[in-house]
Amino acid sequence: MPVFTPPPLPSDDKRWKIVNGTMRKNGFARHALIETLHTVQSSFGYLDDDAIRFVARSLRVPLSQAYGVVTFYHYFSLKPPGKHTMTICAGTACYIKGADKLAAAAEKHLGISQGQTTKDGGISLMKARCVGACSRAPVVLCDGEVAGEVTAEQMLEHLERWAVE
Amino acid sequence: MTIEELEQIAKSACQENDKYDFEVNVCMDLACMSQGADRLRDALLKAAEASGKSVLVRRTGCMGPCSSGPLVRVDPEETLYHHVKADNAEAIVNSLGGDPVPELQCDLNEHFDKQVRVVLENAGYIDPEKIDDYISRDGYKALLTALTEMTPNGVIHRITESGLRGRGGGGYPTGLKWGTVAKASGDLKYIVCNGDEGDPGAFMDRSVMEGDPHRVIEGMAIAAYAVGASKGFIYVRAEYPVAVSRLTTALRDARRRGLLGNGICNTPFNFDVEIRLGAGAFVCGEETALIASIEGRRGTPKPRPPYPAVSGLFGKPTLINNVETYANIAPIVRNGGKWFANMGSERSKGTKVFALTGKIANTGLVEVPMGIKLREIIEVIGGGVPDGHTFKAVQTGGPSGGCIPAEMLDVGVSYDALVRLGSIMGSGGMIVMDDTSCMVNVARFFVEFCMTESCGKCVPCRAGTAQMFTLLTRFCTGTGTMDDLELLEGLCETIKEASLCGLGMTAPNPVLSTLKYFRNEYIEHIVHKRCPAGVCNMEAPVEVVA
C-alpha cells in the first residue's frame, strides 16, 4: 500500500505550520477535522476555500464533507472579520433584558445587519449564541472582551471610538 | 501517587496557606471579570505588598451571587464584600485584622441559607489553576479510595444507591447507565463528558469547569474505573475559552501528579483525557450528535438503539454524562450513596445547580436541594422581581423547556414535577420574566432558536419549526387568525411525536406551555391585535380608547 504523503503547505505563511502541527499531533486522522478547522480559524480569523481544500486533502476527507462541517457549525466563518468585532449575545437572559434593542441600535448606527462587516472592513457586527455571562445580561463582546449590563449608549460610544481610530 | 502521598500534599498545601495571616479571595468568574475583577486583583496584590501584612490574594471561581459582583471574601472571618472596585483594595487590606469595611459589606444570608453546596463546595474557595488547592479539600481522595479499596461493581453500586440522575436534562439514572456500559463487551471503551452547554441562558457547567476543573476530571476517572474505560474526552463549547484553558492546565497538572496516565496509584488502571472543542451547534448536546462531532463530522443525531452504551464513539461502548453529573461523583464516593440519597425528594435525589437570571434581584449560580419550592428559589434566594414589577413566569429547561406561571410556584423542583408542569429540568437555566415580557414573543424567540439549530436531518423538526416560526411571527405582527392558532397546536403535536431526537421532540414545549398558561395573551394578539406587555410591534396598531 502506498504511503500517504500530505500535500505541501499552500504558502510560506508561518501560520500553515501551526495548522499542520495540529494535524500531525492527531496523526492526520480524519476525526481531527474539526480540531484542525479550529486552528485555521484561530490563526487566520476565518476559513477560505484554499484552507478548506488544504485541510480536506491533508486529512483525506472528501471536500464536500469538509465544506459540510464548516457550514454546519456556527462557530466557523467563511468571511474575514473586520478590524474590530462587536458581538451581541443572543442568549435568553440577554433577550429578556433587551438585547434585541441593542442589536437594532447597532444595526442602525453602522448601517449593516448582524453577521455583516462595514464596507471599509472596520467593524463586524456579530451575534453570539450565549457566552455564559447571563447573570450580567445584556452582554456584548468588544473584540472578545465581555462587557455586562450594557446600555445602547455605552455600546454606541464604543463603536464611535473604533470608528475614529 | 498513593493515598499517603496525597495526604502529604494536602497537608503541605494547608501549611503553605497557614503561613499567611489573612486570605483575600477574589471571584474571577466571567460575570465578575466583566465588572473589572482582574484590575481589582492587581490592586489587591499591590495594596497587600505595600501594607507589609502577610496576605494571600487568591483567584477563585464563581462565588454565586453574580449580580453583587465583583465579589471579595476575606477569610478566616468569611466577610463577603460586594460591588468592590479597584479603588477599594487599599481599604480592604487596611481593614485586615480590624473591623471590616462597612460600606462594602453585604448581607446575603437569606440567599445562602437555603442553599446546600455539593457540586459548588469548592467554588470560591480554591484557585482553579492549582491542583494542590483541590487536593487540600479532599480532592482525588475519592479516586484513590475507589482504586485501592473498591471494586468497579462496588463503585457502580454506590452510584446506584445514591439515586443520582443525569444532570444534563433527561434525568436518566446514572448508576443504570454505568452498569450498562460496564456490562458491554469489548476491551476498548470511552468516557465522554458533555460540556456543550448549549442552552442559552445557562452557565452552570461553564462555572464548574472554570471554577473546579479537577472535580470533573476526578469524576470521569472514577467512571472510567467503574466501567472499564481507559480513554476520555471532554467536549467543551468553543465559546468558553477560559474553561478550555483551565481544563488544559488541570489535565497537565493531574498527569504530572500521576493522577492521570498509566498505572494510577500503583494499580493496573490507565486513564487519560483529551479535550475536544465544540463548534457551536445546540444539537450536539444530544449524545449521538455529540459523538459524531467528536469524530469530526456534522453533528447530526442517529436513531437509537443502538445506544452509545453499546456502540458509541468510534463504534465502541461509550459512557456519556454531563459536567454536573461527573461533578457529583467524587462526593458520593467519599461520603457514600446514602448520604446523597438523604438529600432531595422521593425520586430526585441530591442537589441541583441553577443559573438564576433574568428579571430577578440576585442573579447568579445557586445550588439547592431537590424538592425545594420554586417560590423559595425565586423569592427568597433570588430576592424576587426588582423595580416594582410583578412576576409573570419562570422559564426552565431552555429551548426544550417551558414557562411556569406564578400560580404553580409552590411546586417542589424535581424531574417529574417539572415535566408535569409542561417544562423540563433541563441542564439548569432558570430565567425569570416579569410583566414586561410578552409570552407569545418568548415562544417565538425559542422557536426561532430551534429552527436555526435544527440539524435538518428529519422533516418534522426541519420543516415544522420553520412553520411554527411563521405562525408565531404572524401573531407577533398582528396578522394571525384563530385558524392559525389551531394549526399551531396541531403542528406542535406532530413535531413532538414524529421528530428523531430530543431537539425536535421538545421544540414545541415553549409554545405548548405558554399556550397552556398564557392562552389569553395569544387571544389578545389574534383577536384584539394588541400585545399586553407592549413588546410586539403590531403592523396595524389598534387605537386604545381611553
Side-chain angles (χ1 to χ4, degrees):
Chain A
M1 212 173 118
V3 180
F4 170 73
T5 20
L9 303 186
S11 72
D12 294 341
D13 196 324
K14 278 191 185 132
R15 290 175 289 186
W16 291 116
K17 288 196 175 147
I18 304 173
V19 175
N20 220 31
T22 301
M23 294 193 285
R24 192 174 310 122
K25 203 177 83 190
N26 286 288
F28 290 91
R30 290 197 173 103
H31 62 76
L33 178 61
I34 294 177
E35 292 294 295
T36 314
L37 294 173
H38 269 299
T39 312
V40 176
Q41 179 146 317
S42 63
S43 312
F44 290 88
Y46 72 110
L47 300 153
D48 64 6
D49 284 358
D50 288 347
I52 300 171
R53 267 175 217 284
F54 170 64
V55 172
R57 202 169 297 160
S58 305
L59 298 178
R60 287 168 289 168
V61 169
L63 188 56
S64 60
Q65 194 186 323
Y67 194 75
V69 165
V70 172
T71 50
F72 182 83
Y73 293 100
H74 298 281
Y75 199 76
F76 296 132
S77 166
L78 290 162
K79 285 180 284 185
K83 206 170 140 218
H84 294 289
T85 306
M86 176 65 77
T87 311
I88 299 168
C89 182
T92 316
C94 292
Y95 155 77
I96 294 291
K97 292 267 183 103
D100 48 339
K101 291 190 190 79
L102 289 183
E107 284 183 346
K108 198 176 154 211
H109 178 85
L110 296 171
I112 52 173
S113 30
Q114 265 183 313
Q116 293 180 330
T117 305
T118 50
K119 274 207 184 90
D120 60 355
I123 298 172
S124 295
L125 183 64
M126 306 307 284
K127 188 184 200 174
R129 306 158 69 254
C130 194
V131 294
C134 318
S135 41
R136 285 288 186 174
V139 169
V140 300
L141 293 119
C142 310
D143 282 336
E145 195 144 312
V146 179
E149 286 168 26
V150 178
T151 62
E153 290 75 39
Q154 285 169 336
M155 183 193 61
L156 293 178
E157 208 177 289
H158 215 103
L159 290 173
E160 294 272 337
R161 231 178 299 148
W162 279 344
V164 295
E165 265 179 27
Chain B
M1 175 75 75
T2 60
I3 290 196
E4 291 75 40
E5 282 168 2
L6 195 75
E7 275 165 4
Q8 193 53 46
I9 295 172
K11 218 169 122 191
S12 57
C14 289
Q15 279 166 354
E16 185 65 29
N17 287 344
D18 286 344
K19 273 200 245 160
Y20 296 96
D21 296 334
F22 310 100
E23 282 182 23
V24 178
N25 296 288
V26 189
C27 173
M28 296 193 66
D29 191 70
L30 196 58
C32 285
M33 286 289 272
S34 77
Q35 305 293 312
D38 44 349
R39 287 192 299 278
L40 167 65
R41 177 167 167 260
D42 293 343
L44 281 166
L45 282 167
K46 222 167 125 190
E49 208 185 310
S51 72
K53 287 180 187 168
S54 147
V55 188
L56 171 68
V57 178
R58 183 191 281 127
R59 148 188 59 193
T60 74
C62 185
M63 291 184 182
C66 307
S67 49
S68 302
L71 290 157
V72 168
R73 198 190 59 251
V74 175
D75 287 342
E77 293 85 5
E78 300 240 333
T79 316
L80 190 66
Y81 293 124
H82 65 160
H83 302 299
V84 188
K85 298 272 170 299
D87 304 342
N88 305 126
E90 221 166 300
I92 290 178
V93 172
N94 288 339
S95 78
L96 295 174
D99 291 331
V101 189
E103 62 270 25
L104 293 174
Q105 252 185 309
C106 62
D107 177 23
L108 284 169
N109 287 340
E110 273 205 321
H111 174 78
F112 286 112
D113 282 352
K114 292 259 175 206
Q115 297 192 47
V116 177
R117 300 206 154 203
V118 176
V119 171
L120 301 177
E121 62 182 347
N122 291 339
Y125 289 89
I126 62 165
D127 182 334
E129 296 201 7
K130 288 198 176 140
I131 189 170
D132 291 0
D133 269 20
Y134 179 65
I135 293 175
S136 73
R137 289 178 70 91
D138 286 340
Y140 288 108
K141 205 169 158 186
L143 172 64
L144 298 198
T145 314
L147 288 180
T148 52
E149 292 167 20
M150 294 170 81
T151 62
N153 270 336
V155 176
I156 296 177
H157 178 73
R158 190 166 282 193
I159 301 299
T160 310
E161 186 186 39
S162 75
L164 176 66
R165 293 170 68 176
R167 296 293 193 243
Y172 191 78
T174 307
L176 203 59
K177 203 180 213 176
W178 287 26
T180 316
V181 182
K183 279 189 212 107
S185 54
D187 302 338
L188 194 56
K189 293 177 188 174
Y190 292 105
I191 297 287
V192 173
C193 172
N194 181 355
D196 187 56
E197 192 169 42
D199 168 4
F203 55 93
M204 307 73 47
D205 295 350
R206 176 184 66 71
S207 284
V208 173
M209 289 186 286
E210 289 180 10
D212 202 357
H214 286 286
R215 165 177 295 265
V216 182
I217 298 167
E218 185 179 4
M220 288 177 75
I222 295 170
Y225 173 68
V227 304
S230 57
K231 174 95 193 157
F233 289 94
I234 306 185
Y235 186 84
V236 194
R237 294 180 71 194
E239 287 92 338
Y240 291 169
V242 180
V244 174
S245 102
R246 295 261 164 89
L247 284 167
T248 310
T249 310
L251 289 172
R252 188 198 63 202
D253 292 348
R255 281 185 206 115
R256 280 192 188 153
R257 289 277 189 207
L259 293 159
L260 286 177
N262 290 337
I264 299 168
C265 194
N266 304 327
T267 64
F269 176 61
N270 308 329
F271 184 62
D272 209 337
V273 178
E274 250 182 71
I275 296 175
R276 279 281 184 267
L277 288 186
F282 178 63
V283 70
C284 286
E286 202 278 342
E287 50 187 19
T288 57
L290 190 150
I291 286 172
S293 188
I294 295 183
E295 290 172 351
R297 294 184 285 117
R298 293 161 66 104
T300 43
K302 279 197 297 203
R304 298 176 298 185
Y307 286 90
V310 178
S311 169
L313 189 59
F314 304 118
K316 306 289 178 201
T318 305
L319 175 72
I320 303 186
N321 278 136
N322 166 270
V323 170
E324 198 185 326
T325 313
Y326 285 122
N328 270 305
I329 300 302
I332 292 175
V333 171
R334 253 190 347 249
N335 303 325
K338 287 205 181 70
W339 163 81
F340 192 81
N342 276 334
M343 291 182 286
S345 63
E346 181 67 35
R347 298 192 53 223
S348 302
K349 302 295 185 192
T351 60
K352 177 80 193 88
V353 182
F354 287 105
L356 201 54
T357 58
K359 300 288 176 72
I360 190 150
N362 304 329
T363 61
L365 270 196
V366 301
E367 183 171 359
V368 288
M370 293 274 196
I372 189 173
K373 285 177 183 166
L374 278 166
R375 188 180 299 284
E376 282 182 279
I377 299 181
I378 287 155
E379 290 177 2
V380 182
I381 298 175
V385 177
D387 306 327
H389 287 288
T390 50
F391 173 90
K392 190 184 235 175
V394 58
Q395 209 279 342
T396 68
S400 312
C403 297
I404 300 165
E407 57 269 26
M408 298 291 169
L409 283 187
D410 287 313
V411 169
V413 174
S414 69
Y415 290 98
D416 315 287
L418 288 179
V419 169
R420 275 198 299 276
L421 290 178
S423 185
I424 58 164
M425 174 80 82
S427 55
M430 205 172 252
I431 296 145
V432 179
M433 300 169 193
D434 65 8
D435 47 14
T436 60
S437 292
C438 164
M439 301 317 284
V440 184
N441 208 292
V442 166
R444 181 174 171 271
F445 170 83
F446 283 118
V447 168
E448 184 182 14
F449 182 86
C450 289
M451 177 179 72
T452 346
E453 293 298 333
S454 172
C455 78
K457 183 168 180 171
C458 73
V459 179
C461 173
R462 182 182 66 220
T465 50
Q467 293 306 323
M468 278 205 290
F469 180 71
T470 311
L471 292 171
L472 286 163
T473 306
R474 276 189 208 159
F475 300 151
C476 290
T477 49
T479 54
T481 63
M482 288 307 279
D483 288 345
D484 287 338
L485 189 63
E486 206 178 303
L487 199 59
L488 180 67
E489 287 184 294
L491 197 54
C492 285
E493 289 309 319
T494 310
I495 298 171
K496 214 174 165 172
E497 295 293 322
S499 293
L500 172 63
C501 81
L503 191 153
M505 285 189 267
T506 56
N509 277 354
V511 181
L512 289 171
S513 70
T514 47
L515 271 171
K516 184 171 169 191
Y517 300 116
F518 301 97
R519 201 180 180 88
N520 56 338
E521 286 198 28
Y522 281 83
I523 305 291
E524 279 287 314
H525 280 76
I526 297 165
V527 178
H528 304 291
K529 311 288 177 209
R530 187 180 152 265
C531 176
V535 175
C536 299
N537 192 5
M538 300 291 184
E539 272 176 354
V542 177
E543 277 187 17
V544 182
V545 183

